[in-house]
Amino acid sequence: MSKSAASGRISWPLAITLVALVIAAVVVIIFLRVENWPARTAHQSATELEHLGKDLRSAFVDIAHLQPRITINNRVYWEQTTPTTELSIVSRRLEVEHEFQNTWAGSSKRVRLHGSFAVKAGFDLRQNFSIDVRPDEIVVQLPHAQILDVEQEQMDVLAFENGFWNRISADDVQSELSILPQLARQRAMEANLPAEAERALQEQLAARIHVSLPLRLSFTTPASKE
């Protein structure tokens, strides 16, 4: 009995020592984990942002067939490559008419033309175009959208009336023909076609890029007031 009691008295200090060592080891492990947590988190965040940058690059290659300049946390990861100088986003078919009438010495001439035009709005990529991936948001920097092209699709002569001695000249016709594209461009601006192109690009990016970060378009030029 005395030997058993003695061994019991010896095992208690040993057990306490073992428990203390286990607690100390746990504390050390927790301390090391906590100490390294910021570095691990920063590395993980940087990796996630790099993957996001790659997704953005792929999205613009799909949408616009170009690679913008992409910066992640103020570090340039990809430079801009632009196989095309313009990015057309929306197109609208517009109908315009114009009439010219002139009376000289009691003789009148009259020309009335009708034109159909395909008007395209988008972005001039020769200007600054880049993406800045930040921890709290994604900023797409590009110029404001503008009218890129006014293409004639059809031209109809609705009236062509010569005066007895006041005849329609080739210059008269050429002048009227040059006015119609200007009217189509003006009509597109009145319909806010550039603003529609900006909204369409925002929607395409939001549909193509599925991220939790806000996506913001930042325009580097004044809005066109043609």
Side-chain angles (χ1 to χ4, degrees):
M1 292 295 292
S2 60
K3 290 182 179 179
S4 299
S7 61
R9 286 194 298 272
I10 292 173
S11 64
W12 278 110
L14 181 60
I16 292 173
T17 300
L18 291 174
V19 170
L21 291 174
V22 170
I23 293 173
V26 171
V27 170
V28 170
I29 292 172
I30 294 175
F31 174 77
L32 292 176
R33 297 279 298 179
V34 171
E35 186 180 41
N36 294 330
W37 179 79
R40 293 198 313 273
T41 303
H43 177 72
Q44 182 178 2
S45 299
T47 301
E48 291 175 351
L49 291 178
E50 288 181 18
H51 285 306
L52 178 57
K54 292 180 181 178
D55 291 341
L56 288 167
R57 181 182 62 173
S58 299
F60 274 94
V61 169
D62 292 343
I63 294 172
H65 306 291
L66 61 92
Q67 175 184 291
R69 184 175 187 265
I70 298 180
T71 303
I72 302 175
N73 286 335
N74 298 320
R75 176 185 171 189
V76 178
Y77 276 72
W78 294 280
E79 289 290 353
Q80 180 178 352
T81 59
T82 53
T84 180
T85 59
E86 295 178 341
L87 171 58
S88 178
I89 297 295
V90 297
S91 179
R92 182 80 56 82
R93 191 174 191 268
L94 297 176
E95 311 280 338
V96 293
E97 289 186 8
H98 190 258
E99 181 175 318
F100 164 75
Q101 187 168 358
N102 174 265
T103 300
W104 175 71
S107 179
S108 298
K109 59 183 177 181
R110 174 172 169 259
V111 177
R112 186 180 180 189
L113 302 178
H114 174 275
S116 300
F117 293 87
V119 183
K120 298 178 181 179
F123 302 90
D124 182 356
L125 302 179
R126 292 169 295 185
Q127 304 179 50
N128 183 37
F129 178 44
S130 62
I131 298 176
D132 187 10
V133 181
R134 304 172 184 175
D136 57 341
E137 66 176 347
I138 301 168
V139 180
V140 180
Q141 295 182 332
L142 70 170
H144 267 291
Q146 61 187 35
I147 302 299
L148 297 177
D149 187 35
V150 180
E151 181 181 355
Q152 177 183 318
E153 292 185 336
Q154 185 175 343
M155 184 70 63
D156 297 313
V157 179
L158 303 181
F160 195 89
E161 302 171 1
N162 278 302
F164 188 74
W165 52 75
N166 188 13
R167 314 292 291 180
I168 298 172
S169 67
D171 289 341
D172 292 334
V173 175
Q174 187 62 38
S175 176
E176 293 307 295
L177 290 174
S178 66
I179 289 175
L180 290 180
Q182 299 175 28
L183 294 176
R185 180 180 291 271
Q186 181 181 346
R187 183 78 59 83
M189 292 301 299
E190 292 172 352
N192 290 324
L193 203 61
E196 183 179 334
E198 293 173 2
R199 290 193 299 269
L201 178 62
Q202 178 88 45
E203 293 170 359
Q204 289 183 36
L205 292 177
R208 177 63 176 76
I209 304 169
H210 304 287
V211 295
S212 58
L213 294 177
L215 180 65
R216 178 168 62 89
L217 299 185
S218 176
F219 299 106
T220 57
T221 61
S224 178
K225 300 183 182 296
E226 298 180 48

